[in-house]
Amino acid sequence: MSNPYQSAGGSLKLKGVSDHVIKKKKKKGKKLKKLEQQVPTTAQDSQEDVPTKVKRDKRTPAEIAFDRVQEKRKAQRILEKAQKKHKERVEEFNQNLDKLSEHYDIPKVSWTK
């Protein structure tokens, strides 16, 4: 008779996971160092030969005008916010809450019902 508690020996093996094979990283060779030294010299040479390019604005006139208006409005909003003190903002907020109907208030909950 076989033992009902008998199991296969060894550790569990997961699907898709290979054995404990650790791949070693390849060391950088001398060739790579030589290439790194050559790259900066070629970059300096190429900068001297090619004249500097001027960045062009690729936006349409309408887009430029829109951006200007947006900046003006943003500056105006900042000035308006800077004029009010925190206390004034809180008072204004409380006044707006007082104007609202009490429909938005949380109803009382009675535990005796």
Side-chain angles (χ1 to χ4, degrees):
M1 282 192 3
S2 66
N3 187 359
Y5 300 109
Q6 186 177 5
S7 63
S11 62
L12 295 175
K13 298 190 179 176
L14 300 173
K15 290 183 179 179
V17 178
S18 62
D19 293 336
H20 296 283
V21 177
I22 299 174
K23 294 182 180 179
K24 294 183 180 180
K25 294 182 181 180
K26 295 182 180 179
K27 295 183 180 179
K28 294 181 181 180
K30 293 180 182 179
K31 292 180 183 178
L32 186 61
K33 288 182 182 179
K34 288 181 182 178
L35 286 175
E36 288 176 353
Q37 290 174 354
Q38 291 176 356
V39 169
T41 57
T42 57
Q44 291 173 356
D45 295 337
S46 62
Q47 289 177 356
E48 293 173 1
D49 296 337
V50 179
T52 57
K53 293 184 180 180
V54 178
K55 293 183 181 180
R56 291 186 52 200
D57 194 7
K58 296 181 181 179
R59 298 179 296 171
T60 63
E63 288 174 333
I64 294 169
F66 176 78
D67 289 340
R68 285 183 193 151
V69 171
Q70 290 291 94
E71 289 175 9
K72 286 180 184 177
R73 288 182 183 162
K74 186 177 179 181
Q76 187 177 10
R77 271 190 237 119
I78 291 171
L79 288 175
E80 288 174 4
K81 286 186 179 183
Q83 289 176 352
K84 289 186 184 178
K85 305 241 186 243
H86 178 70
K87 186 175 182 180
E88 293 171 356
R89 283 193 213 112
V90 170
E91 289 174 356
E92 185 178 321
F93 178 71
N94 287 333
Q95 288 174 358
N96 289 336
L97 286 179
D98 290 338
K99 290 179 186 175
L100 293 176
S101 67
E102 294 181 12
H103 170 74
Y104 296 104
D105 285 349
I106 300 172
K108 277 190 175 180
V109 177
S110 176
W111 296 104
T112 58
K113 287 187 180 179

PDB file of all heavy atoms in Angstrom, residues 1 19-20 24 42 54 58 70 82 86-87 94 97-98 107-108 111:
ATOM      1  N   MET A   1       0.820  -1.176   0.000  1.00  0.00           N
ATOM      2  CA  MET A   1       0.000   0.000   0.000  1.00  0.00           C
ATOM      3  C   MET A   1       0.869   1.246   0.000  1.00  0.00           C
ATOM      4  O   MET A   1       1.889   1.288   0.666  1.00  0.00           O
ATOM      5  CB  MET A   1      -0.881   0.015   1.250  1.00  0.00           C
ATOM      6  CG  MET A   1      -2.040  -0.926   1.066  1.00  0.00           C
ATOM      7  SD  MET A   1      -3.393  -0.941   2.150  1.00  0.00           S
ATOM      8  CE  MET A   1      -3.391   0.161   3.356  1.00  0.00           C
ATOM      9  N   ASP A  19      15.803  27.744 -14.798  1.00  0.00           N
ATOM     10  CA  ASP A  19      16.619  27.433 -13.636  1.00  0.00           C
ATOM     11  C   ASP A  19      17.447  28.654 -13.239  1.00  0.00           C
ATOM     12  O   ASP A  19      17.452  29.681 -13.897  1.00  0.00           O
ATOM     13  CB  ASP A  19      17.554  26.251 -13.948  1.00  0.00           C
ATOM     14  CG  ASP A  19      16.759  24.964 -14.141  1.00  0.00           C
ATOM     15  OD1 ASP A  19      15.638  24.893 -13.607  1.00  0.00           O
ATOM     16  OD2 ASP A  19      17.262  24.049 -14.826  1.00  0.00           O
ATOM     17  N   HIS A  20      18.163  28.527 -12.177  1.00  0.00           N
ATOM     18  CA  HIS A  20      18.947  29.633 -11.650  1.00  0.00           C
ATOM     19  C   HIS A  20      20.186  29.885 -12.499  1.00  0.00           C
ATOM     20  O   HIS A  20      21.311  29.727 -12.055  1.00  0.00           O
ATOM     21  CB  HIS A  20      19.361  29.349 -10.206  1.00  0.00           C
ATOM     22  CG  HIS A  20      18.186  29.249  -9.282  1.00  0.00           C
ATOM     23  ND1 HIS A  20      17.514  30.346  -8.842  1.00  0.00           N
ATOM     24  CD2 HIS A  20      17.558  28.172  -8.743  1.00  0.00           C
ATOM     25  CE1 HIS A  20      16.522  29.964  -8.053  1.00  0.00           C
ATOM     26  NE2 HIS A  20      16.532  28.643  -7.981  1.00  0.00           N
ATOM     27  N   LYS A  24      26.101  36.640 -16.950  1.00  0.00           N
ATOM     28  CA  LYS A  24      27.088  37.633 -16.566  1.00  0.00           C
ATOM     29  C   LYS A  24      27.041  38.787 -17.553  1.00  0.00           C
ATOM     30  O   LYS A  24      26.830  38.603 -18.755  1.00  0.00           O
ATOM     31  CB  LYS A  24      28.479  37.020 -16.551  1.00  0.00           C
ATOM     32  CG  LYS A  24      28.652  35.959 -15.481  1.00  0.00           C
ATOM     33  CD  LYS A  24      30.065  35.438 -15.451  1.00  0.00           C
ATOM     34  CE  LYS A  24      30.236  34.387 -14.374  1.00  0.00           C
ATOM     35  NZ  LYS A  24      31.603  33.865 -14.336  1.00  0.00           N
ATOM     36  N   THR A  42      34.471  64.521 -33.003  1.00  0.00           N
ATOM     37  CA  THR A  42      33.680  64.672 -34.224  1.00  0.00           C
ATOM     38  C   THR A  42      32.542  65.647 -33.994  1.00  0.00           C
ATOM     39  O   THR A  42      32.152  66.383 -34.900  1.00  0.00           O
ATOM     40  CB  THR A  42      33.134  63.315 -34.696  1.00  0.00           C
ATOM     41  OG1 THR A  42      32.367  62.738 -33.645  1.00  0.00           O
ATOM     42  CG2 THR A  42      34.255  62.391 -35.095  1.00  0.00           C
ATOM     43  N   VAL A  54      18.628  79.235 -36.677  1.00  0.00           N
ATOM     44  CA  VAL A  54      17.757  80.098 -35.913  1.00  0.00           C
ATOM     45  C   VAL A  54      16.433  79.369 -35.727  1.00  0.00           C
ATOM     46  O   VAL A  54      15.867  78.812 -36.666  1.00  0.00           O
ATOM     47  CB  VAL A  54      17.522  81.437 -36.652  1.00  0.00           C
ATOM     48  CG1 VAL A  54      16.573  82.329 -35.880  1.00  0.00           C
ATOM     49  CG2 VAL A  54      18.849  82.130 -36.882  1.00  0.00           C
ATOM     50  N   LYS A  58       6.729  78.244 -35.470  1.00  0.00           N
ATOM     51  CA  LYS A  58       5.896  77.579 -36.465  1.00  0.00           C
ATOM     52  C   LYS A  58       4.407  77.787 -36.208  1.00  0.00           C
ATOM     53  O   LYS A  58       3.582  77.150 -36.840  1.00  0.00           O
ATOM     54  CB  LYS A  58       6.213  76.081 -36.482  1.00  0.00           C
ATOM     55  CG  LYS A  58       7.618  75.785 -36.921  1.00  0.00           C
ATOM     56  CD  LYS A  58       7.882  74.310 -36.958  1.00  0.00           C
ATOM     57  CE  LYS A  58       9.318  74.024 -37.376  1.00  0.00           C
ATOM     58  NZ  LYS A  58       9.612  72.603 -37.404  1.00  0.00           N
ATOM     59  N   GLN A  70      -4.274  84.921 -23.790  1.00  0.00           N
ATOM     60  CA  GLN A  70      -4.263  84.022 -22.639  1.00  0.00           C
ATOM     61  C   GLN A  70      -3.315  84.540 -21.558  1.00  0.00           C
ATOM     62  O   GLN A  70      -3.632  84.508 -20.369  1.00  0.00           O
ATOM     63  CB  GLN A  70      -3.836  82.611 -23.058  1.00  0.00           C
ATOM     64  CG  GLN A  70      -4.847  81.873 -23.897  1.00  0.00           C
ATOM     65  CD  GLN A  70      -6.075  81.515 -23.111  1.00  0.00           C
ATOM     66  OE1 GLN A  70      -7.052  82.247 -23.110  1.00  0.00           O
ATOM     67  NE2 GLN A  70      -6.039  80.393 -22.439  1.00  0.00           N
ATOM     68  N   ALA A  82      -4.507  88.734  -6.023  1.00  0.00           N
ATOM     69  CA  ALA A  82      -3.530  89.328  -5.121  1.00  0.00           C
ATOM     70  C   ALA A  82      -4.119  90.507  -4.356  1.00  0.00           C
ATOM     71  O   ALA A  82      -3.646  90.838  -3.271  1.00  0.00           O
ATOM     72  CB  ALA A  82      -2.298  89.764  -5.897  1.00  0.00           C
ATOM     73  N   HIS A  86      -6.925  86.999   2.493  1.00  0.00           N
ATOM     74  CA  HIS A  86      -7.542  85.710   2.787  1.00  0.00           C
ATOM     75  C   HIS A  86      -8.849  85.894   3.564  1.00  0.00           C
ATOM     76  O   HIS A  86      -9.848  85.224   3.294  1.00  0.00           O
ATOM     77  CB  HIS A  86      -6.578  84.836   3.598  1.00  0.00           C
ATOM     78  CG  HIS A  86      -7.146  83.522   3.994  1.00  0.00           C
ATOM     79  ND1 HIS A  86      -7.394  82.516   3.101  1.00  0.00           N
ATOM     80  CD2 HIS A  86      -7.543  83.054   5.201  1.00  0.00           C
ATOM     81  CE1 HIS A  86      -7.918  81.483   3.730  1.00  0.00           C
ATOM     82  NE2 HIS A  86      -8.021  81.777   5.006  1.00  0.00           N
ATOM     83  N   LYS A  87      -8.837  86.818   4.493  1.00  0.00           N
ATOM     84  CA  LYS A  87     -10.034  87.063   5.305  1.00  0.00           C
ATOM     85  C   LYS A  87     -11.192  87.505   4.419  1.00  0.00           C
ATOM     86  O   LYS A  87     -12.337  87.068   4.605  1.00  0.00           O
ATOM     87  CB  LYS A  87      -9.720  88.117   6.362  1.00  0.00           C
ATOM     88  CG  LYS A  87     -10.821  88.369   7.344  1.00  0.00           C
ATOM     89  CD  LYS A  87     -10.371  89.334   8.426  1.00  0.00           C
ATOM     90  CE  LYS A  87     -11.467  89.544   9.455  1.00  0.00           C
ATOM     91  NZ  LYS A  87     -11.042  90.473  10.510  1.00  0.00           N
ATOM     92  N   ASN A  94     -18.386  82.676   2.557  1.00  0.00           N
ATOM     93  CA  ASN A  94     -19.473  82.480   3.513  1.00  0.00           C
ATOM     94  C   ASN A  94     -20.760  83.162   3.049  1.00  0.00           C
ATOM     95  O   ASN A  94     -21.852  82.632   3.244  1.00  0.00           O
ATOM     96  CB  ASN A  94     -19.076  82.980   4.898  1.00  0.00           C
ATOM     97  CG  ASN A  94     -18.082  82.056   5.567  1.00  0.00           C
ATOM     98  OD1 ASN A  94     -18.045  80.860   5.274  1.00  0.00           O
ATOM     99  ND2 ASN A  94     -17.269  82.610   6.447  1.00  0.00           N
ATOM    100  N   LEU A  97     -22.346  80.956   0.529  1.00  0.00           N
ATOM    101  CA  LEU A  97     -22.990  79.804   1.167  1.00  0.00           C
ATOM    102  C   LEU A  97     -24.322  80.204   1.798  1.00  0.00           C
ATOM    103  O   LEU A  97     -25.289  79.433   1.785  1.00  0.00           O
ATOM    104  CB  LEU A  97     -22.076  79.199   2.227  1.00  0.00           C
ATOM    105  CG  LEU A  97     -20.879  78.401   1.719  1.00  0.00           C
ATOM    106  CD1 LEU A  97     -20.065  77.894   2.895  1.00  0.00           C
ATOM    107  CD2 LEU A  97     -21.325  77.242   0.862  1.00  0.00           C
ATOM    108  N   ASP A  98     -24.390  81.420   2.366  1.00  0.00           N
ATOM    109  CA  ASP A  98     -25.634  81.883   2.965  1.00  0.00           C
ATOM    110  C   ASP A  98     -26.725  82.077   1.921  1.00  0.00           C
ATOM    111  O   ASP A  98     -27.910  81.904   2.216  1.00  0.00           O
ATOM    112  CB  ASP A  98     -25.414  83.191   3.733  1.00  0.00           C
ATOM    113  CG  ASP A  98     -24.593  82.987   4.996  1.00  0.00           C
ATOM    114  OD1 ASP A  98     -24.553  81.830   5.481  1.00  0.00           O
ATOM    115  OD2 ASP A  98     -24.007  83.969   5.483  1.00  0.00           O
ATOM    116  N   PRO A 107     -29.294  66.577   6.350  1.00  0.00           N
ATOM    117  CA  PRO A 107     -30.441  66.450   7.278  1.00  0.00           C
ATOM    118  C   PRO A 107     -30.017  65.806   8.594  1.00  0.00           C
ATOM    119  O   PRO A 107     -29.053  65.058   8.636  1.00  0.00           O
ATOM    120  CB  PRO A 107     -31.417  65.566   6.516  1.00  0.00           C
ATOM    121  CG  PRO A 107     -30.578  64.794   5.561  1.00  0.00           C
ATOM    122  CD  PRO A 107     -29.410  65.688   5.208  1.00  0.00           C
ATOM    123  N   LYS A 108     -30.789  66.111   9.628  1.00  0.00           N
ATOM    124  CA  LYS A 108     -30.502  65.536  10.943  1.00  0.00           C
ATOM    125  C   LYS A 108     -30.813  64.053  10.913  1.00  0.00           C
ATOM    126  O   LYS A 108     -31.775  63.613  10.301  1.00  0.00           O
ATOM    127  CB  LYS A 108     -31.336  66.189  12.013  1.00  0.00           C
ATOM    128  CG  LYS A 108     -30.768  67.472  12.536  1.00  0.00           C
ATOM    129  CD  LYS A 108     -31.546  67.904  13.766  1.00  0.00           C
ATOM    130  CE  LYS A 108     -30.923  69.116  14.387  1.00  0.00           C
ATOM    131  NZ  LYS A 108     -31.649  69.545  15.567  1.00  0.00           N
ATOM    132  N   TRP A 111     -31.328  58.853  16.115  1.00  0.00           N
ATOM    133  CA  TRP A 111     -31.061  57.453  16.455  1.00  0.00           C
ATOM    134  C   TRP A 111     -32.246  56.821  17.167  1.00  0.00           C
ATOM    135  O   TRP A 111     -32.283  55.619  17.367  1.00  0.00           O
ATOM    136  CB  TRP A 111     -29.825  57.368  17.358  1.00  0.00           C
ATOM    137  CG  TRP A 111     -28.592  57.825  16.662  1.00  0.00           C
ATOM    138  CD1 TRP A 111     -27.953  59.013  16.832  1.00  0.00           C
ATOM    139  CD2 TRP A 111     -27.849  57.114  15.678  1.00  0.00           C
ATOM    140  NE1 TRP A 111     -26.853  59.097  16.001  1.00  0.00           N
ATOM    141  CE2 TRP A 111     -26.769  57.916  15.283  1.00  0.00           C
ATOM    142  CE3 TRP A 111     -28.002  55.868  15.078  1.00  0.00           C
ATOM    143  CZ2 TRP A 111     -25.841  57.516  14.332  1.00  0.00           C
ATOM    144  CZ3 TRP A 111     -27.065  55.490  14.121  1.00  0.00           C
ATOM    145  CH2 TRP A 111     -26.004  56.304  13.757  1.00  0.00           C
TER     146      TRP A 111
END
